[in-house]
């Protein structure tokens, strides 16, 4: 009796494992299948125009438009958005608060350890906003580094914090704020002398602010450091590589047929300067520090 019971137990285990293997092979239990069955994807964004932002209750931006187009190709037509502080996007993704980050987030080696990036959806440089008239003559990050009395405010968790320090800016000169609006407010109130962020972000925020107290530095010199230009992409949980891979497949198709270039043009970017052709720069290269 004992031997028979043991035999039945072993057989049951093999049947169970075989069933699990079939489920994996068929994609059962995968994030991709889960989202396709529900038809809904939850994205995290940080209210940063022109990448992803909310306007009159509607989610807009180039990153949003691209993600919507790709997910539609995957049979996922409904997008639900969750606003988050920039610094909380990756922790929120890891905690399962949303399925993907759609914020034009720059691919960086350190971030690659915590999220699975899609292939690049765009590229962009940096921008600088100062007090009107630019009384301190700031035209580069090196100018900020060269004047220890200058204070620059940056959005929490932004890549520009590292860029500034690489260009010699003392950490004591850098303060942070939760979002772009708060960084502009700091400059307007005199609590900071300048703010920096990706070029399109600060330029659009400057135009929206419509303030005579601020100036967008047209003569800004792009820093010659690793990470500039930055390559923005969608970010997925490290456990959801199936979803990321499927996303990449459809993203490549939409790049090839011109859809991505068109969406960039429609959302404040340029299909000439911000578009990243298929295989010109890969996420693997950026994550490995090769680009």
């Amino acid at each position: 009796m004992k031997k028979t019971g043991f035999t039945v137990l072993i057989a049951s285990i093999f049947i169970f494992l075989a069933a699990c293997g079939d489920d994996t092979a068929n994609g059962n239990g995968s994030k991709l299948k889960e989202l396709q069955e529900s038809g809904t994807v939850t994205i995290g964004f940080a209210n940063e125009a022109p990448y992803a932002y909310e306007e009159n209750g509607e989610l807009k931006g180039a990153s949003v438009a691209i993600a919507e187009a790709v997910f539609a190709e995957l049979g996922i037509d409904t997008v639900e958005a969750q606003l988050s502080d920039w610094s909380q996007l990756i922790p929120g993704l890891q905690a399962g608060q949303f399925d993907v980050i759609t914020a034009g987030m720059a691919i960086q080696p350190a971030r690659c350890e915590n999220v699975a990036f899609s292939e690049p959806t765009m590229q962009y440089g940096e921008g600088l906003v100062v007090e009107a008239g630019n009384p301190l003559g700031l035209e580069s990050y090196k100018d900020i580094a060269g004047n220890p009395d200058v204070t620059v405010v940056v959005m929490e968790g932004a890549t520009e914090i590292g860029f500034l320090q690489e260009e010699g800016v003392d950490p004591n000169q850098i303060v942070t704020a939760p979002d772009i609006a708060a960084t502009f407010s700091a400059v307007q109130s005199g609590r900071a002398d300048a703010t920096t962020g990706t070029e399109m972000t600060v330029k659009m925020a400057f135009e929206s602010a419509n303030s005579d107290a601020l100036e967008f530095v047209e003569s800004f010199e792009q820093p010659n450091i690793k990470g500039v230009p930055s390559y923005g992409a969608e970010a997925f949980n490290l456990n959801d590589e199936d979803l990321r891979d499927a996303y990449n497949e459809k993203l490549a198709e939409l790049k090839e047929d011109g859809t991505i270039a068109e969406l960039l043009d429609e959302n404040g970017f340029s299909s000439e300067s911000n578009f990243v052709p298929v295989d010109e720069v890969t996420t693997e290269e950026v994550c490995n520090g090769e680009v």
Side-chain angles (χ1 to χ4, degrees), residues 266-289:
E266 290 176 356
N267 288 276
F269 288 85
S270 166
S271 56
E272 293 184 6
S273 59
N274 301 118
F275 178 71
V276 184
V278 175
D279 294 333
E280 179 179 279
V281 174
T282 68
T283 291
E284 182 178 4
E285 290 172 333
V286 182
C287 286
N288 291 338

Side-chain angles (χ1 to χ4, degrees), residues 50 186 209 221 232:
E221 180 182 338

Side-chain angles (χ1 to χ4, degrees), residues 83-283:
L83 176 64
S84 174
D85 287 342
W86 177 267
S87 62
Q88 295 304 307
L89 285 174
I90 290 178
L93 180 68
Q94 294 173 321
Q97 294 176 13
F98 20 82
D99 305 310
V100 58
I101 295 171
T102 308
M105 179 174 284
I107 305 167
Q108 291 185 327
R111 288 175 177 166
C112 294
E113 297 178 4
N114 296 298
V115 300
F117 281 108
S118 71
E119 290 303 319
T121 55
M122 61 181 70
Q123 63 180 359
Y124 45 79
E126 304 304 307
L128 189 69
V129 168
V130 298
E131 181 184 342
N134 198 1
L136 298 177
L138 303 176
E139 296 183 330
S140 68
Y141 289 163
K142 288 190 179 298
D143 287 341
I144 297 174
N147 186 342
D149 293 328
V150 172
T151 297
V152 57
V153 59
V154 185
M155 185 170 64
E156 293 172 1
T159 56
E160 286 72 24
I161 296 172
F163 293 163
L164 286 162
Q165 293 183 27
E166 282 194 55
E167 289 287 85
V169 178
D170 191 303
N172 292 326
Q173 293 178 255
I174 304 170
V175 296
T176 60
D179 53 38
I180 295 298
T183 66
F184 272 56
S185 177
V187 178
Q188 285 179 297
S189 66
R191 290 180 284 114
D193 302 298
T195 184
T196 183
T198 59
E199 181 179 8
M200 295 304 300
T201 296
V202 295
K203 191 169 188 177
M204 282 195 69
F206 169 75
E207 292 172 353
S208 297
N210 193 27
S211 172
D212 293 334
L214 300 173
E215 178 178 324
F216 178 80
V217 182
E218 296 285 357
S219 57
F220 178 72
E221 180 182 338
Q222 293 292 329
N224 184 23
I225 57 177
K226 183 185 290 187
V228 180
S230 296
Y231 294 93
E234 270 58 77
F236 300 84
N237 190 292
L238 289 173
N239 295 322
D240 297 335
E241 289 190 359
D242 65 316
L243 177 60
R244 189 274 313 273
D245 292 344
Y247 188 96
N248 279 339
E249 181 179 344
K250 295 302 181 181
L251 175 63
E253 293 176 6
L254 295 182
K255 282 186 176 184
E256 294 285 11
D257 70 13
T259 298
I260 301 302
E262 183 178 335
L263 291 174
L264 287 170
D265 283 332
E266 290 176 356
N267 288 276
F269 288 85
S270 166
S271 56
E272 293 184 6
S273 59
N274 301 118
F275 178 71
V276 184
V278 175
D279 294 333
E280 179 179 279
V281 174
T282 68
T283 291

